[in-house]
Amino acid sequence: MPITSRMPLVLFLLIALACSGCSFTKDPQSYMRMPKLPDDKENLKQVIQQAMPAGASFIHPKNSSDPGSIYLKDLDKDGVPEAIVFYQTPDKDVRVKGMLWQKSGDSWKLLSEMEGEGYELDTLLFEDVTGDGVDDILVGYSGGARINKGLVVYHLVDRKLTILYQAPYTELVVDDLNQDNKKDISILTLERNVSAKMSTLQYDHGFQPVGSIALDPYVNGYSSVTAGFVAENKRGLLLDAGVGAHSSTTQLVYFDNGQLVKAFPDDKLPLSPRSAKSGDYNHDGIMEIPIDVAPQGSENAAYAVTPWITQYYRWDGRQGLGDTPLYERYYDYENSFYLDIPSEWRDRFSVQRSADGTRIAFVSSVTGETLADWKTMPADSWDASDPEWKEIGRTDKTVTALRLTENSKPLLGSFHPVLDLERQELSDHVNE
């Protein structure tokens, strides 16, 4: 990979490989901390803006839901904060640039600048991947959705940034995958229908490979790769990949006796008819693999109107999944709620829905009685004082309400806002 130096800036050329990758880990931002800005935030912002060229604008990582663009970190743990910011210069040859500032008395001093060839800032992580107590800056520059991205690892030495490592990637994650108490970088590269590989690197007088394994290249792209515990005291990566028009498969990669291995043969991957994102959804510390199934009576329904039930499985520790799901959920993202399905209902219910989809009922396939039913209506027609109905979901325009019966009243605590999942995920990201 050719690298051209222009002190103090570095031009990093991306390798253009045809691929179709998506987000990574719980998202690359799983490892980003967004510290609270100081009281003189506006002063810092003005100082940075004055140093930016005319026409430049702040940018933040592509896959981040955080709108912030100025990140405060005490990288070298000396008690003096640094500020990291990236900006875009669309009319320049180099589109993406970054700056590292350090607090100096009542003002800020520019320490180093960064630049990467590409159009977007794909990834920004702050992690001590060298093990020396200094947080390194991992930057992923992107030239677009259909070419591989470029990773640059910057290290702060004597108040200047140096480049420790750079490589093309499709997706990446920072973790301690081999559980040796040292951070590692796992890099996935995909050239669709040609090759796919996961490599794990650790720093030892330079970044050295500690594991590598071939993956299935016949996928649309890897929609998410999530790091975490996949069994008691065993960490791994769950790789969710899109296949076909709607379906997804999941592979599990982990270390076994010092070797990076796959849990599932490529021809026996867990398959879900809808896009899946693996993770620890029940917050028990071990991740699950979601698989969607059609409930009884809906097996032959059109894909778009099938009332999918999401079942969550755990790896069996060998080359398969557990015999039965740990739990099941029904998601209604359009109306912003989900239902934790009681375990005693499993395989004993059907789902009935009105032609317009505004009325849904879960019906026992044993007794034929209605277990729960709800309706969605315009928000301005909702009567919260009606004792027969209880709100379980709300959007800007609609309210979904559960009909209160002897069967459904015990379920009130099983309906949750979809926003709760997003809040929990954000909390997990901040606390990691």
Short mmCIF file of all heavy atoms in Angstrom, two decimals, residues 50-95:
data_model
loop_
_atom_site.label_atom_id
_atom_site.label_comp_id
_atom_site.label_asym_id
_atom_site.label_seq_id
_atom_site.Cartn_x
_atom_site.Cartn_y
_atom_site.Cartn_z
N GLN A 50 -11.36 28.54 13.64
CA GLN A 50 -10.43 29.52 13.10
C GLN A 50 -9.25 28.86 12.41
O GLN A 50 -8.64 29.44 11.50
CB GLN A 50 -9.94 30.45 14.22
CG GLN A 50 -11.02 31.39 14.74
CD GLN A 50 -10.57 32.19 15.96
OE1 GLN A 50 -9.42 32.06 16.41
NE2 GLN A 50 -11.47 32.99 16.50
N ALA A 51 -8.90 27.64 12.85
CA ALA A 51 -7.78 26.92 12.25
C ALA A 51 -8.18 26.12 11.02
O ALA A 51 -7.31 25.66 10.28
CB ALA A 51 -7.15 25.99 13.30
N MET A 52 -9.48 25.94 10.81
CA MET A 52 -9.96 25.18 9.66
C MET A 52 -9.98 26.06 8.42
O MET A 52 -10.21 27.27 8.51
CB MET A 52 -11.37 24.63 9.94
CG MET A 52 -11.40 23.53 10.99
SD MET A 52 -13.06 23.18 11.68
CE MET A 52 -14.05 22.99 10.20
N PRO A 53 -9.74 25.49 7.26
CA PRO A 53 -9.78 26.29 6.03
C PRO A 53 -11.20 26.75 5.71
O PRO A 53 -12.18 26.16 6.18
CB PRO A 53 -9.25 25.33 4.97
CG PRO A 53 -9.51 23.97 5.52
CD PRO A 53 -9.37 24.09 6.99
N ALA A 54 -11.29 27.79 4.92
CA ALA A 54 -12.60 28.31 4.52
C ALA A 54 -13.39 27.22 3.79
O ALA A 54 -12.85 26.48 2.97
CB ALA A 54 -12.43 29.52 3.62
N GLY A 55 -14.66 27.12 4.12
CA GLY A 55 -15.52 26.14 3.48
C GLY A 55 -15.52 24.78 4.13
O GLY A 55 -16.31 23.90 3.73
N ALA A 56 -14.65 24.54 5.13
CA ALA A 56 -14.60 23.25 5.81
C ALA A 56 -15.74 23.13 6.82
O ALA A 56 -16.24 24.14 7.33
CB ALA A 56 -13.26 23.07 6.51
N SER A 57 -16.14 21.91 7.11
CA SER A 57 -17.21 21.67 8.08
C SER A 57 -16.89 20.44 8.92
O SER A 57 -16.26 19.50 8.45
CB SER A 57 -18.56 21.47 7.35
OG SER A 57 -18.48 20.38 6.45
N PHE A 58 -17.31 20.47 10.18
CA PHE A 58 -17.09 19.35 11.08
C PHE A 58 -17.80 18.10 10.55
O PHE A 58 -18.88 18.18 9.97
CB PHE A 58 -17.64 19.66 12.48
CG PHE A 58 -16.87 20.70 13.23
CD1 PHE A 58 -17.47 21.90 13.58
CD2 PHE A 58 -15.55 20.48 13.60
CE1 PHE A 58 -16.77 22.86 14.29
CE2 PHE A 58 -14.85 21.43 14.31
CZ PHE A 58 -15.45 22.63 14.66
N ILE A 59 -17.20 16.94 10.78
CA ILE A 59 -17.84 15.67 10.46
C ILE A 59 -17.68 14.72 11.63
O ILE A 59 -16.78 14.89 12.47
CB ILE A 59 -17.27 15.01 9.18
CG1 ILE A 59 -15.76 14.78 9.32
CG2 ILE A 59 -17.60 15.83 7.96
CD1 ILE A 59 -15.17 13.99 8.16
N HIS A 60 -18.56 13.74 11.71
CA HIS A 60 -18.43 12.70 12.72
C HIS A 60 -18.50 11.35 12.01
O HIS A 60 -18.86 11.28 10.84
CB HIS A 60 -19.51 12.82 13.80
CG HIS A 60 -20.90 12.69 13.30
ND1 HIS A 60 -21.60 13.71 12.68
CD2 HIS A 60 -21.75 11.63 13.29
CE1 HIS A 60 -22.80 13.31 12.35
NE2 HIS A 60 -22.92 12.03 12.69
N PRO A 61 -18.11 10.26 12.69
CA PRO A 61 -18.07 8.95 12.02
C PRO A 61 -19.40 8.60 11.38
O PRO A 61 -20.48 8.82 11.94
CB PRO A 61 -17.72 8.00 13.17
CG PRO A 61 -16.99 8.84 14.13
CD PRO A 61 -17.63 10.19 14.07
N LYS A 62 -19.33 8.00 10.21
CA LYS A 62 -20.50 7.69 9.40
C LYS A 62 -21.53 6.86 10.16
O LYS A 62 -22.73 7.10 10.07
CB LYS A 62 -20.06 6.96 8.14
CG LYS A 62 -21.18 6.46 7.26
CD LYS A 62 -20.63 5.64 6.10
CE LYS A 62 -21.75 5.03 5.28
NZ LYS A 62 -21.22 4.17 4.20
N ASN A 63 -21.06 5.84 10.90
CA ASN A 63 -21.98 4.90 11.52
C ASN A 63 -22.38 5.30 12.93
O ASN A 63 -23.03 4.53 13.63
CB ASN A 63 -21.35 3.51 11.55
CG ASN A 63 -21.17 2.95 10.15
OD1 ASN A 63 -22.07 3.02 9.33
ND2 ASN A 63 -19.99 2.42 9.87
N SER A 64 -21.98 6.49 13.37
CA SER A 64 -22.31 6.91 14.73
C SER A 64 -23.63 7.65 14.76
O SER A 64 -23.92 8.48 13.90
CB SER A 64 -21.20 7.82 15.27
OG SER A 64 -21.57 8.34 16.53
N SER A 65 -24.46 7.32 15.76
CA SER A 65 -25.71 8.04 15.96
C SER A 65 -25.50 9.29 16.79
O SER A 65 -26.41 10.10 16.95
CB SER A 65 -26.74 7.13 16.65
OG SER A 65 -26.26 6.71 17.91
N ASP A 66 -24.30 9.47 17.33
CA ASP A 66 -23.97 10.63 18.14
C ASP A 66 -23.66 11.81 17.22
O ASP A 66 -22.76 11.73 16.39
CB ASP A 66 -22.75 10.31 19.01
CG ASP A 66 -22.55 11.35 20.10
OD1 ASP A 66 -22.81 12.55 19.84
OD2 ASP A 66 -22.13 10.98 21.21
N PRO A 67 -24.38 12.91 17.33
CA PRO A 67 -24.15 14.04 16.44
C PRO A 67 -22.90 14.83 16.77
O PRO A 67 -22.50 15.73 16.03
CB PRO A 67 -25.41 14.90 16.64
CG PRO A 67 -25.82 14.61 18.06
CD PRO A 67 -25.51 13.15 18.27
N GLY A 68 -22.24 14.54 17.90
CA GLY A 68 -21.06 15.28 18.30
C GLY A 68 -19.91 15.12 17.33
O GLY A 68 -19.80 14.11 16.63
N SER A 69 -19.04 16.11 17.28
CA SER A 69 -17.90 16.06 16.37
C SER A 69 -16.60 16.47 17.04
O SER A 69 -15.54 16.40 16.42
CB SER A 69 -18.16 16.95 15.15
OG SER A 69 -18.48 18.26 15.54
N ILE A 70 -16.63 16.91 18.30
CA ILE A 70 -15.42 17.24 19.05
C ILE A 70 -15.33 16.26 20.21
O ILE A 70 -16.23 16.19 21.05
CB ILE A 70 -15.45 18.68 19.57
CG1 ILE A 70 -15.55 19.68 18.40
CG2 ILE A 70 -14.19 18.98 20.39
CD1 ILE A 70 -15.68 21.12 18.83
N TYR A 71 -14.24 15.48 20.25
CA TYR A 71 -14.09 14.43 21.25
C TYR A 71 -12.96 14.78 22.20
O TYR A 71 -11.83 15.05 21.75
CB TYR A 71 -13.82 13.08 20.57
CG TYR A 71 -14.90 12.70 19.59
CD1 TYR A 71 -14.80 13.05 18.25
CD2 TYR A 71 -16.03 12.03 20.02
CE1 TYR A 71 -15.81 12.72 17.36
CE2 TYR A 71 -17.04 11.70 19.13
CZ TYR A 71 -16.93 12.05 17.80
OH TYR A 71 -17.92 11.73 16.93
N LEU A 72 -13.25 14.80 23.49
CA LEU A 72 -12.24 15.09 24.50
C LEU A 72 -11.74 13.80 25.12
O LEU A 72 -12.53 12.98 25.58
CB LEU A 72 -12.81 15.99 25.59
CG LEU A 72 -13.04 17.46 25.24
CD1 LEU A 72 -13.45 18.22 26.48
CD2 LEU A 72 -11.81 18.07 24.61
N LYS A 73 -10.43 13.59 25.10
CA LYS A 73 -9.82 12.41 25.69
C LYS A 73 -8.50 12.82 26.32
O LYS A 73 -7.77 13.65 25.78
CB LYS A 73 -9.52 11.35 24.62
CG LYS A 73 -10.73 10.80 23.91
CD LYS A 73 -11.54 9.88 24.80
CE LYS A 73 -10.79 8.62 25.11
NZ LYS A 73 -11.61 7.67 25.91
N ASP A 74 -8.21 12.24 27.47
CA ASP A 74 -6.86 12.37 28.04
C ASP A 74 -6.08 11.16 27.55
O ASP A 74 -5.95 10.16 28.24
CB ASP A 74 -6.91 12.43 29.56
CG ASP A 74 -5.54 12.63 30.19
OD1 ASP A 74 -4.57 12.87 29.43
OD2 ASP A 74 -5.44 12.54 31.43
N LEU A 75 -5.57 11.24 26.33
CA LEU A 75 -4.98 10.08 25.68
C LEU A 75 -3.80 9.51 26.47
O LEU A 75 -3.67 8.30 26.64
CB LEU A 75 -4.53 10.44 24.26
CG LEU A 75 -5.64 10.87 23.29
CD1 LEU A 75 -5.03 11.32 21.97
CD2 LEU A 75 -6.62 9.74 23.06
N ASP A 76 -2.91 10.39 26.93
CA ASP A 76 -1.69 9.91 27.60
C ASP A 76 -1.81 9.91 29.12
O ASP A 76 -0.82 9.69 29.83
CB ASP A 76 -0.48 10.74 27.17
CG ASP A 76 -0.71 12.23 27.32
OD1 ASP A 76 -1.76 12.62 27.90
OD2 ASP A 76 0.13 13.01 26.85
N LYS A 77 -3.01 10.14 29.63
CA LYS A 77 -3.31 10.04 31.07
C LYS A 77 -2.42 10.94 31.91
O LYS A 77 -2.00 10.59 33.02
CB LYS A 77 -3.16 8.58 31.54
CG LYS A 77 -3.91 7.56 30.70
CD LYS A 77 -5.41 7.81 30.69
CE LYS A 77 -6.17 6.69 30.01
NZ LYS A 77 -5.96 6.60 28.57
N ASP A 78 -2.12 12.15 31.40
CA ASP A 78 -1.30 13.09 32.15
C ASP A 78 -2.14 14.15 32.85
O ASP A 78 -1.61 15.11 33.41
CB ASP A 78 -0.26 13.75 31.25
CG ASP A 78 -0.90 14.61 30.15
OD1 ASP A 78 -2.14 14.58 30.01
OD2 ASP A 78 -0.15 15.30 29.43
N GLY A 79 -3.44 13.99 32.80
CA GLY A 79 -4.33 14.95 33.45
C GLY A 79 -4.68 16.14 32.59
O GLY A 79 -5.48 16.98 33.00
N VAL A 80 -4.09 16.22 31.40
CA VAL A 80 -4.36 17.33 30.48
C VAL A 80 -5.14 16.79 29.29
O VAL A 80 -4.64 15.91 28.58
CB VAL A 80 -3.06 18.00 30.00
CG1 VAL A 80 -3.37 19.16 29.05
CG2 VAL A 80 -2.23 18.50 31.19
N PRO A 81 -6.35 17.28 29.06
CA PRO A 81 -7.17 16.69 28.00
C PRO A 81 -6.70 17.07 26.60
O PRO A 81 -6.16 18.16 26.39
CB PRO A 81 -8.57 17.25 28.27
CG PRO A 81 -8.31 18.57 28.95
CD PRO A 81 -7.08 18.36 29.79
N GLU A 82 -6.92 16.15 25.68
CA GLU A 82 -6.73 16.43 24.26
C GLU A 82 -8.11 16.50 23.60
O GLU A 82 -9.06 15.89 24.07
CB GLU A 82 -5.91 15.34 23.57
CG GLU A 82 -4.41 15.37 23.86
CD GLU A 82 -4.05 14.71 25.18
OE1 GLU A 82 -4.71 13.72 25.54
OE2 GLU A 82 -3.11 15.21 25.85
N ALA A 83 -8.18 17.24 22.52
CA ALA A 83 -9.41 17.33 21.73
C ALA A 83 -9.11 16.80 20.34
O ALA A 83 -8.11 17.18 19.72
CB ALA A 83 -9.91 18.77 21.66
N ILE A 84 -9.96 15.90 19.86
CA ILE A 84 -9.80 15.32 18.54
C ILE A 84 -11.01 15.73 17.71
O ILE A 84 -12.17 15.57 18.15
CB ILE A 84 -9.70 13.78 18.61
CG1 ILE A 84 -8.50 13.35 19.46
CG2 ILE A 84 -9.58 13.20 17.21
CD1 ILE A 84 -8.83 13.10 20.91
N VAL A 85 -10.77 16.23 16.52
CA VAL A 85 -11.85 16.68 15.66
C VAL A 85 -11.50 16.37 14.22
O VAL A 85 -10.33 16.42 13.83
CB VAL A 85 -12.12 18.20 15.84
CG1 VAL A 85 -10.91 19.02 15.45
CG2 VAL A 85 -13.35 18.64 15.06
N PHE A 86 -12.50 16.03 13.43
CA PHE A 86 -12.31 15.80 12.00
C PHE A 86 -13.23 16.74 11.23
O PHE A 86 -14.32 17.08 11.68
CB PHE A 86 -12.61 14.35 11.63
CG PHE A 86 -11.50 13.40 12.00
CD1 PHE A 86 -11.39 12.91 13.29
CD2 PHE A 86 -10.55 13.02 11.06
CE1 PHE A 86 -10.37 12.06 13.63
CE2 PHE A 86 -9.53 12.16 11.39
CZ PHE A 86 -9.43 11.67 12.68
N TYR A 87 -12.74 17.15 10.06
CA TYR A 87 -13.54 18.04 9.24
C TYR A 87 -13.40 17.65 7.78
O TYR A 87 -12.49 16.92 7.39
CB TYR A 87 -13.15 19.49 9.46
CG TYR A 87 -11.72 19.85 9.12
CD1 TYR A 87 -11.39 20.33 7.84
CD2 TYR A 87 -10.71 19.74 10.07
CE1 TYR A 87 -10.08 20.67 7.53
CE2 TYR A 87 -9.41 20.08 9.76
CZ TYR A 87 -9.09 20.55 8.49
OH TYR A 87 -7.80 20.88 8.18
N GLN A 88 -14.31 18.17 6.98
CA GLN A 88 -14.39 17.82 5.57
C GLN A 88 -14.07 19.05 4.72
O GLN A 88 -14.53 20.16 5.03
CB GLN A 88 -15.79 17.30 5.25
CG GLN A 88 -15.93 16.63 3.90
CD GLN A 88 -17.31 16.01 3.74
OE1 GLN A 88 -18.31 16.65 4.08
NE2 GLN A 88 -17.37 14.79 3.26
N THR A 89 -13.27 18.83 3.69
CA THR A 89 -12.95 19.90 2.75
C THR A 89 -13.33 19.43 1.35
O THR A 89 -12.49 18.92 0.60
CB THR A 89 -11.45 20.25 2.80
OG1 THR A 89 -10.69 19.04 2.60
CG2 THR A 89 -11.07 20.84 4.15
N PRO A 90 -14.61 19.55 0.98
CA PRO A 90 -15.09 18.93 -0.27
C PRO A 90 -14.46 19.48 -1.54
O PRO A 90 -14.47 18.81 -2.57
CB PRO A 90 -16.59 19.23 -0.23
CG PRO A 90 -16.74 20.38 0.71
CD PRO A 90 -15.67 20.23 1.72
N ASP A 91 -13.88 20.69 -1.50
CA ASP A 91 -13.29 21.26 -2.70
C ASP A 91 -11.78 21.06 -2.77
O ASP A 91 -11.11 21.63 -3.63
CB ASP A 91 -13.61 22.76 -2.78
CG ASP A 91 -13.10 23.54 -1.57
OD1 ASP A 91 -12.85 22.89 -0.52
OD2 ASP A 91 -12.96 24.76 -1.67
N LYS A 92 -11.23 20.23 -1.87
CA LYS A 92 -9.79 20.00 -1.84
C LYS A 92 -9.48 18.59 -2.33
O LYS A 92 -10.34 17.71 -2.39
CB LYS A 92 -9.26 20.17 -0.41
CG LYS A 92 -9.57 21.52 0.23
CD LYS A 92 -8.86 22.67 -0.46
CE LYS A 92 -9.11 23.99 0.27
NZ LYS A 92 -8.46 25.13 -0.40
N ASP A 93 -8.20 18.36 -2.66
CA ASP A 93 -7.79 17.02 -3.08
C ASP A 93 -7.93 16.02 -1.95
O ASP A 93 -8.31 14.88 -2.15
CB ASP A 93 -6.33 17.05 -3.57
CG ASP A 93 -6.18 17.81 -4.88
OD1 ASP A 93 -7.19 17.93 -5.60
OD2 ASP A 93 -5.07 18.29 -5.16
N VAL A 94 -7.60 16.45 -0.73
CA VAL A 94 -7.78 15.62 0.46
C VAL A 94 -9.09 16.03 1.11
O VAL A 94 -9.22 17.17 1.58
CB VAL A 94 -6.60 15.77 1.44
CG1 VAL A 94 -6.84 14.92 2.68
CG2 VAL A 94 -5.30 15.37 0.76
N ARG A 95 -10.06 15.12 1.14
CA ARG A 95 -11.41 15.48 1.59
C ARG A 95 -11.58 15.45 3.10
O ARG A 95 -12.37 16.20 3.64
CB ARG A 95 -12.42 14.52 0.95
CG ARG A 95 -12.41 14.48 -0.57
CD ARG A 95 -12.96 15.75 -1.17
NE ARG A 95 -13.07 15.66 -2.62
CZ ARG A 95 -14.15 15.25 -3.26
NH1 ARG A 95 -15.21 14.86 -2.59
NH2 ARG A 95 -14.18 15.22 -4.58
#
